[in-house]
Amino acid sequence: MTRASRLTPYLYVAPLVALMAFVFGYPLVRIFEFSFKMVRGIDGPWIGLRNYQLVLGQDLFWESVLHNLQLLLAIPVMVAISLLVSILLYERVAGWKLYRIIVFVPFVLAIPIIAVVMKRMFQFSGPVNEVLRWLSLDFMALDWIGSSDVALWTVMILIIWRESALGIILFLARLLSLDESLIEAAKLEGANWWQRARYIILPQMRGVIEFYVVVSAITMLSAVFAYVYVIGGGRGGPGTATTVVEFYIFNALIRTSLPGIASAASVLLFLVSVALIFPLFSARRRAAADEAAR
């Protein structure tokens, strides 16, 4: 009876686990298989590592990798913004309830909707440049989307604006679980806002910050296709200025009909993402250990 009772929860979730394994596991297996074949239609002859050699030998692939690495520069900015806003909300500044709604809205909206709105705002004759010209800052009125030198940074601005909302949610949730007696004691001792944040709040948030950094890194490497597709007009442009690895895979699969190439690039992206998951689990274990210690 004891053994049966232990197995009961697993029996309840087994059908869903089997379904998820089929929905996600089967395509993953096929992608690995296709990466070693010259696929035409639904199958093709085995060619070994030829697809990987072709992918790694293409300048466009390495350019797309470089663009993903450039997007990683947004992570420190996102962490800083999320920490600052979450602490201000935790301190209940005037109008904090309204601010909380405002900062949460971007994360609720779908990426294509946000990207379309931001694309219109950042057009050369859009509201952003009009405001800059009104402020006599004409030198800052750039072709945010049409210039190959600026387009990727425009995508980064959009990503920072939306993805920082997740950081704010995570950090605020962690802040609400802190022991407020420590903060009150620091106030009585005369600690200012910065000292309370630096010496009391931040040390207790190390685990969730590490978690957010790893999740953001995975996002920058493998979850920015929608931003690039909409901002770049479905071309990853201007030219290849906003082409990332996901868009490279999309072009190889849909536009040039090379499933083997697309599968090889997908496997490489998958392996990098999996490698980043290990620090994620490590951060979660540290966060759990910190919580247990408190």
Side-chain angles (χ1 to χ4, degrees):
M1 291 296 295
T2 303
R3 182 177 299 177
S5 63
R6 290 177 179 176
L7 291 176
T8 299
Y10 297 99
L11 294 176
Y12 280 116
V13 301
L16 180 59
V17 170
L19 177 62
M20 297 292 287
F22 175 76
V23 172
F24 293 100
Y26 176 75
L28 185 61
V29 171
R30 293 292 285 176
I31 287 173
F32 271 86
E33 180 185 355
F34 281 6
S35 69
F36 296 103
K37 291 183 175 182
M38 183 180 292
V39 180
R40 291 293 182 268
I42 60 174
D43 207 347
W46 186 273
I47 59 173
L49 297 175
R50 180 60 178 166
N51 286 325
Y52 291 95
Q53 293 172 350
L54 292 173
V55 169
L56 297 176
Q58 288 186 345
D59 292 337
L60 180 58
F61 173 76
W62 290 111
E63 183 182 359
S64 65
V65 170
L66 178 61
H67 292 161
N68 281 104
L69 295 178
Q70 286 180 263
L71 291 177
L72 292 176
L73 297 175
I75 295 178
V77 179
M78 292 161 52
V79 171
I81 292 175
S82 300
L83 279 172
L84 177 61
V85 175
S86 60
I87 293 175
L88 289 175
L89 292 175
Y90 176 71
E91 296 282 349
R92 292 178 174 82
V93 296
W96 67 276
K97 291 184 178 180
L98 176 61
Y99 299 149
R100 185 171 61 180
I101 295 173
I102 292 174
V103 298
F104 289 173
V105 165
F107 198 72
V108 175
L109 296 176
I111 295 176
I113 296 174
I114 297 176
V116 168
V117 173
M118 295 293 284
K119 182 177 180 179
R120 293 186 178 275
M121 291 183 64
F122 279 94
Q123 288 178 343
F124 188 70
S125 58
V128 173
N129 281 343
E130 290 298 323
V131 171
L132 292 173
R133 296 186 185 103
W134 181 72
L135 295 173
S136 299
L137 299 174
D138 299 62
F139 68 95
M140 296 181 62
L142 306 174
D143 191 1
W144 300 95
I145 297 174
S147 172
S148 58
D149 296 327
V150 184
L152 186 64
W153 302 106
T154 305
V155 173
M156 186 183 296
I157 292 172
L158 172 57
I159 293 174
I160 290 173
W161 180 64
R162 183 181 187 273
E163 298 299 330
S164 293
L166 174 61
I168 295 170
I169 295 171
L170 292 174
F171 296 162
L172 185 58
R174 180 68 184 94
L175 285 168
L176 293 174
S177 66
L178 296 181
D179 185 359
E180 294 189 4
S181 63
L182 295 175
I183 300 175
E184 293 299 327
K187 289 181 180 179
L188 293 175
E189 292 293 332
N192 58 33
W193 183 88
W194 168 250
Q195 291 172 329
R196 295 196 302 272
R198 170 67 179 84
Y199 296 106
I200 298 178
I201 294 177
L202 290 182
Q204 299 184 74
M205 297 184 64
R206 178 181 174 182
V208 70
I209 291 174
E210 292 176 348
F211 174 85
Y212 179 60
V213 167
V214 175
V215 169
S216 298
I218 295 174
T219 298
M220 296 301 173
L221 294 177
S222 59
V224 294
F225 175 82
Y227 298 103
V228 170
Y229 186 86
V230 177
I231 295 293
R235 300 182 301 274
T240 58
T242 58
T243 300
V244 293
V245 175
E246 290 175 279
F247 201 84
Y248 172 88
I249 295 170
F250 172 79
N251 282 335
L253 180 62
I254 303 299
R255 292 180 175 165
T256 58
S257 299
L258 296 172
I261 297 293
S263 298
S266 298
V267 169
L268 293 174
L269 182 59
F270 172 76
L271 294 177
V272 172
S273 299
V274 169
L276 288 173
I277 291 177
F278 290 103
L280 177 63
F281 286 134
S282 178
R284 293 185 65 180
R285 283 197 299 268
R286 280 196 292 271
D290 293 343
E291 186 66 26
R294 283 188 291 271

